[in-house]
Short mmCIF file of all heavy atoms in Angstrom, two decimals:
data_model
loop_
_atom_site.label_atom_id
_atom_site.label_comp_id
_atom_site.label_asym_id
_atom_site.label_seq_id
_atom_site.Cartn_x
_atom_site.Cartn_y
_atom_site.Cartn_z
N GLY A 196 -6.22 -1.64 -1.85
CA GLY A 196 -5.28 -1.61 -2.94
C GLY A 196 -4.21 -0.57 -2.69
O GLY A 196 -4.21 0.11 -1.65
N GLU A 197 -3.31 -0.40 -3.64
CA GLU A 197 -2.19 0.52 -3.45
C GLU A 197 -2.64 1.97 -3.35
O GLU A 197 -2.14 2.74 -2.54
CB GLU A 197 -1.19 0.38 -4.60
CG GLU A 197 0.07 1.23 -4.41
CD GLU A 197 1.08 1.04 -5.52
OE1 GLU A 197 0.75 0.37 -6.53
OE2 GLU A 197 2.21 1.55 -5.38
N HIS A 198 -3.62 2.35 -4.18
CA HIS A 198 -4.06 3.74 -4.24
C HIS A 198 -5.51 3.94 -3.82
O HIS A 198 -6.02 5.06 -3.89
CB HIS A 198 -3.87 4.32 -5.65
CG HIS A 198 -2.45 4.31 -6.12
ND1 HIS A 198 -2.03 3.64 -7.23
CD2 HIS A 198 -1.35 4.90 -5.60
CE1 HIS A 198 -0.74 3.81 -7.39
NE2 HIS A 198 -0.29 4.57 -6.41
N GLN A 199 -6.17 2.88 -3.40
CA GLN A 199 -7.59 3.01 -3.04
C GLN A 199 -7.97 1.94 -2.02
O GLN A 199 -7.53 0.80 -2.11
CB GLN A 199 -8.47 2.88 -4.29
CG GLN A 199 -9.96 3.02 -4.02
CD GLN A 199 -10.75 3.20 -5.30
OE1 GLN A 199 -10.30 3.85 -6.24
NE2 GLN A 199 -11.95 2.63 -5.34
N VAL A 200 -8.78 2.35 -1.06
CA VAL A 200 -9.35 1.41 -0.09
C VAL A 200 -10.86 1.59 -0.10
O VAL A 200 -11.37 2.69 0.13
CB VAL A 200 -8.81 1.65 1.33
CG1 VAL A 200 -9.52 0.74 2.34
CG2 VAL A 200 -7.30 1.40 1.37
N ASN A 201 -11.58 0.51 -0.40
CA ASN A 201 -13.03 0.52 -0.34
C ASN A 201 -13.44 -0.06 1.01
O ASN A 201 -13.28 -1.25 1.26
CB ASN A 201 -13.62 -0.31 -1.48
CG ASN A 201 -13.20 0.23 -2.84
OD1 ASN A 201 -13.22 1.43 -3.06
ND2 ASN A 201 -12.81 -0.66 -3.74
N ARG A 202 -13.95 0.81 1.88
CA ARG A 202 -14.26 0.43 3.26
C ARG A 202 -15.73 0.05 3.41
O ARG A 202 -16.55 0.33 2.55
CB ARG A 202 -13.90 1.58 4.21
CG ARG A 202 -12.41 1.91 4.22
CD ARG A 202 -12.09 3.14 5.04
NE ARG A 202 -10.65 3.35 5.19
CZ ARG A 202 -9.89 4.03 4.34
NH1 ARG A 202 -10.43 4.60 3.27
NH2 ARG A 202 -8.59 4.17 4.54
N THR A 203 -16.04 -0.56 4.54
CA THR A 203 -17.40 -1.01 4.77
C THR A 203 -18.29 0.15 5.20
O THR A 203 -17.82 1.13 5.81
CB THR A 203 -17.46 -2.11 5.84
OG1 THR A 203 -17.07 -1.55 7.10
CG2 THR A 203 -16.55 -3.28 5.48
N LEU A 204 -19.56 0.02 4.92
CA LEU A 204 -20.54 1.01 5.38
C LEU A 204 -20.48 1.14 6.89
O LEU A 204 -20.55 2.26 7.43
CB LEU A 204 -21.94 0.60 4.93
CG LEU A 204 -23.10 1.41 5.48
CD1 LEU A 204 -23.01 2.87 5.08
CD2 LEU A 204 -24.43 0.80 5.02
N GLU A 205 -20.35 0.02 7.59
CA GLU A 205 -20.30 0.05 9.05
C GLU A 205 -19.12 0.89 9.55
O GLU A 205 -19.27 1.71 10.46
CB GLU A 205 -20.20 -1.37 9.61
CG GLU A 205 -20.14 -1.44 11.12
CD GLU A 205 -19.99 -2.87 11.62
OE1 GLU A 205 -19.67 -3.77 10.82
OE2 GLU A 205 -20.21 -3.09 12.84
N TRP A 206 -17.95 0.70 8.94
CA TRP A 206 -16.76 1.45 9.37
C TRP A 206 -16.92 2.94 9.06
O TRP A 206 -16.61 3.80 9.89
CB TRP A 206 -15.51 0.90 8.67
CG TRP A 206 -14.22 1.39 9.25
CD1 TRP A 206 -13.47 0.80 10.23
CD2 TRP A 206 -13.54 2.61 8.88
NE1 TRP A 206 -12.36 1.57 10.49
CE2 TRP A 206 -12.38 2.68 9.69
CE3 TRP A 206 -13.79 3.63 7.97
CZ2 TRP A 206 -11.47 3.74 9.60
CZ3 TRP A 206 -12.89 4.69 7.88
CH2 TRP A 206 -11.75 4.73 8.69
N ILE A 207 -17.39 3.25 7.86
CA ILE A 207 -17.56 4.65 7.47
C ILE A 207 -18.57 5.34 8.37
O ILE A 207 -18.32 6.45 8.88
CB ILE A 207 -17.99 4.73 5.99
CG1 ILE A 207 -16.87 4.24 5.08
CG2 ILE A 207 -18.38 6.17 5.63
CD1 ILE A 207 -17.29 3.96 3.66
N ALA A 208 -19.72 4.71 8.58
CA ALA A 208 -20.76 5.30 9.42
C ALA A 208 -20.26 5.48 10.85
O ALA A 208 -20.55 6.50 11.50
CB ALA A 208 -22.02 4.44 9.39
N GLY A 209 -19.51 4.51 11.36
CA GLY A 209 -18.97 4.61 12.71
C GLY A 209 -17.97 5.75 12.84
O GLY A 209 -17.95 6.47 13.85
N THR A 210 -17.13 5.93 11.82
CA THR A 210 -16.14 7.01 11.84
C THR A 210 -16.83 8.37 11.80
O THR A 210 -16.44 9.30 12.52
CB THR A 210 -15.18 6.86 10.65
OG1 THR A 210 -14.52 5.59 10.75
CG2 THR A 210 -14.14 7.96 10.64
N LEU A 211 -17.85 8.50 10.98
CA LEU A 211 -18.61 9.75 10.92
C LEU A 211 -19.30 10.03 12.26
O LEU A 211 -19.28 11.17 12.75
CB LEU A 211 -19.66 9.67 9.81
CG LEU A 211 -19.11 9.71 8.37
CD1 LEU A 211 -20.19 9.28 7.38
CD2 LEU A 211 -18.59 11.10 8.02
N ASP A 212 -19.86 9.01 12.86
CA ASP A 212 -20.56 9.18 14.13
C ASP A 212 -19.60 9.64 15.23
O ASP A 212 -19.90 10.56 16.00
CB ASP A 212 -21.23 7.87 14.52
CG ASP A 212 -21.94 7.96 15.86
OD1 ASP A 212 -22.88 8.77 15.99
OD2 ASP A 212 -21.55 7.22 16.79
N LYS A 213 -18.43 9.01 15.30
CA LYS A 213 -17.46 9.38 16.33
C LYS A 213 -16.97 10.82 16.16
O LYS A 213 -16.63 11.48 17.15
CB LYS A 213 -16.27 8.43 16.28
CG LYS A 213 -16.59 7.02 16.78
CD LYS A 213 -15.40 6.08 16.61
CE LYS A 213 -15.76 4.66 17.02
NZ LYS A 213 -14.63 3.72 16.76
N ALA A 214 -16.95 11.31 14.93
CA ALA A 214 -16.52 12.68 14.68
C ALA A 214 -17.63 13.69 14.94
O ALA A 214 -17.38 14.90 14.90
CB ALA A 214 -16.02 12.82 13.24
#
Side-chain angles (χ1 to χ4, degrees):
E197 185 178 9
H198 299 120
Q199 181 167 323
V200 175
N201 300 316
R202 297 174 172 88
T203 66
L204 172 61
E205 180 182 15
W206 192 93
I207 293 166
T210 300
L211 289 166
D212 178 62
K213 289 176 184 176

